[in-house]
Structure formats: structure tokens, C-alpha cells
Amino acid sequence: MPNTTTGTGTIFSRRIALNDAAAFQGRIDASAEECTHLCALFRIDGLSAFYFTYRITPLPSHRYRLTGDLNADVTQSCVLTLEPVTEHIQETASVEFWPAAQIASADFATLDTGLDDEFPEEIIDGKIDVGAFAAELLASLINPYPKKSGVGFEWTDQKDTFETAPSGPFAQLGKLRTDR
């Protein structure tokens, strides 16, 4: 997954302080400038809409669960025709955030976390970066081979379209043989 950070910080950062219960639910939208930066980072042609509605739920042991719905309109070039292809991406996601000390001390090979083989994300300075999570989720959902609707690639095997006569550097010499 591409790293959504730059030398000046995270491109789509929305840090939610865990001591601000009023911010535990909401919607974050990418600005036009952020969409432009994310397009360059993800190597896509356009990102006309990108938002993430979220809810943070406190769990025992100073852990938190982030759940949310991502929506984005992505434009890419068709891999066959190079024409623009727009795709609406919609995904529901859920991830746990743990304090760094708990992540460092956990033995995930033997620990039954109930996380379905997903490792928790780290709480940094008492905050959860909902925007960085949403941007990384978007990066994982972008179609690596966008194709325009109705366009297909048909493969024809060269062997089927030509005579079955021998070919190659010695094909002409084979025709000179008289002992066949």
C-alpha cells in the first residue's frame, strides 16, 4: 500500500483525539487539493469525490474500534484503450487501534485477538488518524487493471492462424531434404 505521508505530514490527515468523545462519530471529506495530491500518490487520473463516514467505539484496555464507510469516485485510464474509466468505490471497514506498548508486547501468533488475522493499528499521541486509515483503504481498493465497459481483449494463437509448416531458422533447409 502506498505510504500516504510526505515530508510535511500526512496528505489526508484527520487526527481524532481520544479524549474528545464528541468527535467519535462523523464524516471526513477530501478537499480538491487533497484529491489532487492523492491522485499523484496513487497514480490515478482523477478523484472527484472522496469521503469517509466513521464511528469510534471504546473497547477495554484503552483500545478502540474504528468502523466506517468509504466512498470515492476514481478515474483511471483503461488498460486496453487508454480512455477514461470512472469507478465508484464503496467499502465498509473496521479496524482496532491499540496503544503502542500493547502492540509491542502482544504475541499475535498465539494471542486470540478476534481480529481475523488483522493486526491492530497504533494509537499515536492519544489520537487516531481516521484520514490516513481512509486513504490507505482507498489505495487498497483501486482497481489495478481498469477496463472500459464492453471492451475486451481477444487472444488468437499464432499457431492457429498460420499453416502448421515448420518455421524457424532451419525451416527452409528442411524443405530441401529428399529422404522424406
Side-chain angles (χ1 to χ4, degrees), residues 45 75-85 146-148 151:
D45 298 335
T75 302
Q76 301 180 81
S77 296
C78 173
V79 294
L80 298 174
T81 66
L82 300 180
E83 295 177 64
V85 177
K147 190 176 71 139
K148 187 175 177 181
V151 174

